[in-house]
Amino acid sequence: MSDSDRDYYWEQVRQQHRQKPPEEPKRSWRMLVKPLLWLLIPLLLLAAGTGLWRNPASHAWLQERWVLLQARLGMAPGGTPSAPVASPYSDSPRTLAECIKPGNVIDDEVRACVKGYRPKTW
């Protein structure tokens, strides 16, 4: 073994026992996605909410929903009746047995009665 080979060998042995300095972590674009989403999603929700808030049609829809919710909870606003007056043409459906004609006849009048479009007159 020559002197240069021996020196090379021992240099390699010494380098194995030395601690290497820690390498800087490589920044990947994937590591930036999560913080970017944490920023983007609330901003998008805020922008959508602002757009809906500025739209006059959404105010009417919101007011309509609010009144309906109050009526369902029994907290109708003052000055408005809590339940409308029942009419013979209520849109509430009925069973076929309630509306069927004598002789088990089913025609357009019976279908309209089942759907609540006309009263039973037979």
Side-chain angles (χ1 to χ4, degrees):
M1 182 188 274
S2 68
D3 289 340
S4 63
D5 290 338
R6 184 192 62 203
D7 293 341
Y8 177 77
Y9 171 77
W10 285 111
E11 184 63 33
Q12 294 300 317
V13 169
R14 275 187 233 119
Q15 283 184 0
Q16 286 178 356
H17 296 296
R18 287 186 199 152
Q19 288 185 351
K20 295 179 182 177
E23 294 180 10
E24 291 288 326
K26 293 181 180 178
R27 286 261 172 187
S28 173
W29 65 271
R30 291 182 183 135
M31 293 177 66
L32 298 174
V33 170
K34 188 175 182 180
L36 187 62
L37 285 177
W38 277 104
L39 178 68
L40 270 178
I41 290 175
L43 285 177
L44 288 173
L45 289 174
L46 184 67
T50 303
L52 284 174
W53 184 254
R54 290 183 180 203
N55 185 1
S58 67
H59 286 285
W61 180 85
L62 184 64
Q63 182 64 26
E64 184 180 312
R65 296 289 112 197
W66 178 249
V67 169
L68 182 64
L69 177 65
Q70 284 181 331
R72 284 185 179 175
L73 294 176
M75 304 181 324
T80 60
S82 61
V85 178
S87 72
Y89 298 104
S90 68
D91 287 336
S92 61
R94 299 183 191 98
T95 62
L96 184 63
E98 293 174 11
C99 294
I100 199 162
K101 287 186 174 182
N104 294 335
V105 176
I106 299 173
D107 58 1
D108 291 335
E109 290 177 343
V110 173
R111 288 188 192 101
C113 176
V114 168
K115 291 182 180 177
Y117 298 152
R118 69 172 286 145
K120 180 180 176 183
T121 55
W122 47 90

